[in-house]
Amino acid sequence: MSDNEDEEEIFLNVSFIYEVEKGKKYNLIQLSGSWDNWKEKTELKYDPLNNRWKCIKSLPKGKKFLYKYLLDGNWAVNRNERMESQGDIVNNMVKIA
């Protein structure tokens, strides 16, 4: 048995919130990211009182992930969250501390 087999990865719950601009409405907002190579699209739940969408993901501690939102099927970044550019591509970014 190697030393690494004794170490369990620690996961933390991370909230992702997309606040909708005034005058805009969406039927579906989803989240996709590098934690699973952009395969899965997680649906956010709408909070009509605060006009925002939210989901919680459990992600491994000590790693950095890129992600984007899908607003009715159109890719978008949240300008209120950290962003990272890779050439012409801009994604949101989160580091799980």
Side-chain angles (χ1 to χ4, degrees):
M1 183 191 298
S2 73
D3 293 337
N4 291 345
E5 288 183 55
D6 289 336
E7 294 178 25
E8 272 190 48
E9 228 174 2
I10 297 170
F11 285 77
L12 299 175
N13 287 335
V14 180
S15 293
F16 293 90
I17 298 170
Y18 193 92
E19 294 191 27
V20 179
E21 301 166 27
K22 288 183 181 178
K24 297 249 181 175
K25 291 192 188 280
Y26 298 100
N27 295 312
L28 176 66
I29 294 184
Q30 297 167 300
L31 177 74
S32 187
S34 62
W35 45 79
D36 67 354
N37 286 324
W38 305 86
K39 292 177 186 168
E40 190 176 312
K41 292 175 177 66
T42 303
E43 189 172 328
L44 281 71
K45 302 289 182 209
Y46 182 60
D47 172 6
L49 293 176
N50 297 305
N51 198 28
R52 63 185 190 178
W53 296 71
K54 180 179 178 181
C55 76
I56 297 174
K57 292 207 63 79
S58 184
L59 298 174
K61 184 177 178 181
K63 297 190 179 180
K64 174 179 103 169
F65 297 100
L66 301 175
Y67 63 95
K68 273 190 174 177
Y69 296 90
L70 285 113
L71 312 177
D72 287 339
N74 297 307
W75 290 102
V77 292
N78 186 338
R79 303 245 175 243
N80 297 321
E81 296 173 359
R82 290 177 74 176
M83 293 184 286
E84 183 174 287
S85 296
Q86 297 174 323
D88 293 339
I89 298 171
V90 178
N91 293 302
N92 286 116
M93 187 270 292
V94 63
K95 285 185 183 178
I96 314 302

